């Protein structure tokens, strides 16, 4: 079974607290999405394997570490995942980026895929799927199924806020995918929104609605 890691770092909790406030501005909200994504990524990359390499400092030859093995790829789920990807690229500037376009049908809450573009060597990479909200889990599960259908195996999922219902659903559908969560909330409401949550992440990032 996969790992579910809920962040307990004070900086993450503080920043997500600001994001929840309904009067937080679009600009501040957008900046916080990037910052919290970067902090969660720091934890999600903790187990990446390292290898020794020989270098020369200005003074001597030395053995230092570099990240070994597979290279990385960030896959934001559009729209809201895009700003998480921007934050993570500050930490891992050489990562490639794939995109999956997905929206929830507001009545059925079923995910609808409208776009998928991945690096040609994505199957050889360690993949970080990012989306601020894990609500029913439908969008994340469908995005990960799409990646697996293209031969991608090593997948991690990062979100800012999750509902218990979404975590359970994603674990059942993809028991091999580790889930990194900024804050685990109480439940979903009747419209499939996370409570207490932060509202519609895409609308708050882009000022739509
Ligand atoms: C939001 C969010 C997730 C999805 C989560 O996207 O960014 O992708 O809902 O809900 P789920 O877990 O129940 O599938 P939305 O459908 O609002 O699209 P948008 O990012 O384009 O606004
Ligand atoms: N999508 C969001 O943006 N927010 C929620 O609370 C649920 C789904």
């Amino acid at each position: 079974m996969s790992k579910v890691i809920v962040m307990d770092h004070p900086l993450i909790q503080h920043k997500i607290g600001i994001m929840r406030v309904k009067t937080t501005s679009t600009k501040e909200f957008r900046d916080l999405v990037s910052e919290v994504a970067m902090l969660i990524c720091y934890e999600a990359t903790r187990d990446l394997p390292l290898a020794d390499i020989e270098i020369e400092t200005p003074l001597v030859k030395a053995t230092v570490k570099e990240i070994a093995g597979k290279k990385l790829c960030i896959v934001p789920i559009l729209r809201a995942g895009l700003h998480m990807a921007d934050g993570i690229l500050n930490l891992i500037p050489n990562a490639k980026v794939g995109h999956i376009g997905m929206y929830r049908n507001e009545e059925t809450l079923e995910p609808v895929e409208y776009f998928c573009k991945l690096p040609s060597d994505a199957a050889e990479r360690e993949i970080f799927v990012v989306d601020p909200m894990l609500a029913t889990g439908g969008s994340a599960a469908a995005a990960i199924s799409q990646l697996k259908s293209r031969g991608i195996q090593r997948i991690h999922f990062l979100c800012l806020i999750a509902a218990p219902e979404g975590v359970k659903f994603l674990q059942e559908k993809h028991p091999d995918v580790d889930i990194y969560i900024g804050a685990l909330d109480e439940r979903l409401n009747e419209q499939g929104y996370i409570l207490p949550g932060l509202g519609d992440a895409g609308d708050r990032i882009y000022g739509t609605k």
Side-chain angles (χ1 to χ4, degrees):
M1 185 55 90
S2 63
K3 286 188 287 185
V4 176
I5 299 103
V6 182
M7 303 296 136
D8 58 2
H9 197 286
L11 277 176
I12 295 179
Q13 293 183 49
H14 176 84
K15 287 173 188 289
I16 290 179
I18 300 170
M19 296 176 73
R20 294 184 192 277
V21 178
K22 66 179 180 185
T23 52
T24 294
S25 70
T26 300
K27 181 195 180 305
E28 194 179 1
F29 188 90
R30 195 185 291 149
D31 292 345
L32 286 164
V33 170
S34 299
E35 287 172 25
V36 177
M38 195 160 47
L39 294 169
I40 296 174
C41 174
Y42 187 75
E43 186 61 37
T45 50
R46 173 179 291 279
D47 295 330
L48 286 180
L50 291 170
D52 288 342
I53 55 163
E54 307 299 322
I55 58 122
E56 280 184 46
T57 76
L59 301 175
V60 288
K61 289 189 174 171
T63 305
V64 297
K65 304 284 184 193
E66 73 169 8
I67 290 173
K70 290 179 183 164
K71 300 294 179 196
L72 309 182
C73 177
I74 307 162
V75 178
I77 300 178
L78 308 180
R79 294 176 295 167
L82 271 179
H83 271 275
M84 288 185 72
D86 283 350
I88 293 172
L89 283 169
N90 288 321
L91 279 187
I92 315 173
N94 292 328
K96 287 197 176 175
V97 182
H99 296 87
I100 294 190
M102 196 78 77
Y103 70 87
R104 285 198 315 180
N105 177 309
E106 288 189 1
E107 269 139 40
T108 64
L109 300 184
E110 288 298 317
V112 181
E113 186 184 316
Y114 60 89
F115 187 74
C116 183
K117 182 89 178 165
L118 302 172
S120 54
D121 61 353
E124 290 140 43
R125 289 176 177 265
E126 189 101 8
I127 304 282
F128 292 84
V129 178
V130 300
D131 190 326
M133 309 305 277
L134 182 66
T136 65
S139 303
I144 291 169
S145 294
Q146 169 67 264
L147 296 177
K148 287 183 174 173
S149 74
R150 293 170 178 236
I152 294 170
Q153 286 169 354
R154 286 284 299 153
I155 303 173
H156 314 258
F157 180 76
L158 279 60
C159 64
L160 305 189
I161 297 188
E165 295 91 327
V167 175
K168 183 167 179 285
F169 184 77
L170 188 54
Q171 272 200 306
E172 281 167 7
K173 291 280 178 197
H174 298 292
D176 54 324
V177 173
D178 290 340
I179 307 171
Y180 295 85
I181 300 169
L184 183 60
D185 276 12
E186 287 164 25
R187 63 180 175 90
L188 295 178
N189 72 7
E190 296 69 32
Q191 289 78 40
Y193 278 88
I194 300 174
L195 296 179
L198 48 71
D200 187 301
D203 285 345
R204 294 201 63 190
I205 291 169
Y206 295 107
T208 43
K209 225 172 220 172

